[in-house]
Amino acid sequence: MADSNRNAEAILTRAWQSRGPLACLLWPLSLLFGALAALRRALFALGLKRVERLPVPVIMVGNVFVGGTGKTPFAIWLIEALRAAGYTPGVVSRGYGAGGAGAVAEVLAGSAAAQVGDEPLLIVQRTGVPLVVGRRRAAAGRTLLAAHPEVDVLVSDDGLQHYALARDIEIVLSDARGAGNGWLLPAGPLREPASRRRDFSVANLPAGSAAPAGSYAMRLEAGEAVQLAAPSVRRPLEAIGAGGAHTVRIAAVAGIGNPGRFFATLRGAGLAFAEHPLPDHYDFSANPFAGLQADVILVTEKDAVKCRAIEAIQNDPRIWVVPVSARIDGALAEHIVEKLRERPTA
């Protein structure tokens, strides 16, 4: 079943890159999707659906392209940039698989990814930022501000289409896939038109690629690999394949929105490996490493937060975690801070 789902997803993903037969067949449904999305936006704009404004500025980070565009590394970069500018940020997030419709929960470094989501847990472990998850972002924001009154700016991770929460700045991320075929779901990969308003555009691109006009380029840089079973043990990524006379068999496993980007990062470090893409947010309860013929297995940080909680995986010495950090071209941080300071005070 999992293989058939992956195959169906791969077929649809390929169809989204052109206006071929399958995309054209689905195009009437995309018109309906677009009409319903436009109606929903209009209800909020006209005040027929409630929009809540929190007492601190809100920076909304998201994308219109379905799937991973690098929001989590960008959110980590943004948290650190805000701190460097003198702010005390907090984060609200949906949290994949976390809680019911009205549930909110603060994420701590020791929280379980199955309860709060893998991406929020990774953000907390990397930054220590106050973070609350909940489907209703405004409720999550109120909970966070009550528990952490020192917070003076909120970052909403992946909430671009959550119009019930008023926002002061919108940042839209994209990657090398651009807008695909330019059509809305299900004929294309877009949740909203690529032309939707935003304050800043960020393009997550491989090294050497130029950002589209009006966008800031983001590059993801890999750090030293960290052994899952012994986090104090680190190794430069370029040295992972060094085995002397012995050929080191390397596998790369990724359960993220765009596994190809992780694999490209590893190839950029000169590594040769077998690729093993998994569905986004894969929970690892079915151990994908057990029968893997490899001396070294490289995984993403997002996957590692779940692997560390599974007894059958956490002590596997073959598994190494590859952390990535975002580097943003230009003066994006300065421009974000300028816009924050323009916000009227209550």
Side-chain angles (χ1 to χ4, degrees):
M1 179 64 73
D3 288 340
S4 62
N5 288 342
R6 281 199 292 273
N7 291 337
E9 182 180 342
I11 291 170
L12 195 56
T13 299
R14 285 195 299 271
W16 284 345
Q17 295 305 308
S18 66
R19 297 185 176 182
L22 179 56
C24 290
L25 182 66
L26 296 171
W27 181 67
L29 292 177
S30 75
L31 296 179
L32 176 60
F33 178 88
L36 292 174
L39 174 61
R40 180 171 173 270
R41 288 194 299 271
L43 292 175
F44 282 106
L46 294 171
L48 299 176
K49 289 180 75 71
R50 182 169 177 258
V51 178
E52 183 170 350
R53 179 166 291 281
L54 296 175
V56 301
V58 172
I59 303 174
M60 193 68 67
V61 176
N63 57 351
V64 295
F65 196 108
V66 172
T69 54
K71 290 185 301 297
T72 300
F74 178 81
I76 292 169
W77 173 87
L78 180 57
I79 290 162
E80 299 301 348
L82 290 169
R83 284 173 169 164
Y87 287 92
T88 303
V91 177
V92 294
S93 176
R94 163 65 180 86
Y96 181 85
V104 297
E106 183 166 5
V107 181
L108 304 175
S111 295
Q115 296 175 352
V116 300
D118 45 19
E119 291 159 342
L121 182 55
L122 173 57
I123 291 171
V124 169
Q125 290 181 350
R126 279 284 296 266
T127 68
V129 72
L131 192 154
V132 172
V133 294
R135 290 187 186 179
R136 296 175 181 170
R137 307 302 201 288
R142 290 195 304 272
T143 299
L144 188 151
L145 294 172
H148 299 275
E150 73 279 7
V151 167
D152 53 13
V153 60
L154 280 177
V155 175
S156 181
D157 176 42
D158 196 19
L160 202 61
Q161 289 80 35
H162 190 78
Y163 296 110
L165 176 60
R167 65 284 311 265
D168 299 276
I169 297 175
E170 287 187 329
I171 303 174
V172 178
L173 272 69
S174 63
D175 61 14
R177 296 169 294 180
N181 62 16
W183 283 346
L184 299 178
L185 291 167
L190 304 182
R191 298 184 180 105
E192 296 182 279
S195 59
R196 83 171 314 275
R197 76 156 305 279
R198 78 282 303 274
D199 295 289
F200 301 104
S201 297
V202 176
N204 180 8
L205 300 169
S209 301
S215 296
Y216 294 88
M218 178 172 82
R219 320 290 182 185
L220 296 182
E221 300 179 355
E224 287 187 317
V226 179
Q227 192 171 34
L228 185 75
S232 62
V233 179
R234 297 171 177 266
R235 185 181 297 177
L237 202 53
E238 312 79 53
I240 283 290
H246 171 63
T247 299
V248 178
R249 298 169 300 172
I250 304 174
V253 179
I256 59 176
N258 186 2
R261 188 184 303 113
F262 178 63
F263 300 147
T265 298
L266 299 181
R267 283 194 295 271
L271 298 179
F273 51 89
E275 297 181 7
H276 296 275
L278 297 172
D280 194 14
H281 302 290
Y282 187 78
D283 67 5
F284 291 89
S285 56
N287 185 351
F289 310 119
L292 208 53
Q293 299 300 307
D295 303 304
V296 172
I297 302 171
L298 302 176
V299 302
T300 71
E301 284 185 292
K302 175 176 162 180
D303 293 326
V305 299
K306 290 169 286 192
C307 292
R308 289 190 182 99
I310 298 175
E311 188 173 355
I313 295 176
Q314 60 188 207
N315 294 316
D316 188 334
R318 301 175 300 162
I319 301 174
W320 292 76
V321 184
V322 182
V324 296
S325 298
R327 298 289 179 267
I328 313 294
D329 294 348
L332 178 59
E334 179 182 338
H335 294 155
I336 291 172
V337 170
E338 286 175 358
K339 195 160 187 67
L340 282 176
R341 289 174 179 161
E342 292 171 1
R343 181 183 190 263
T345 56

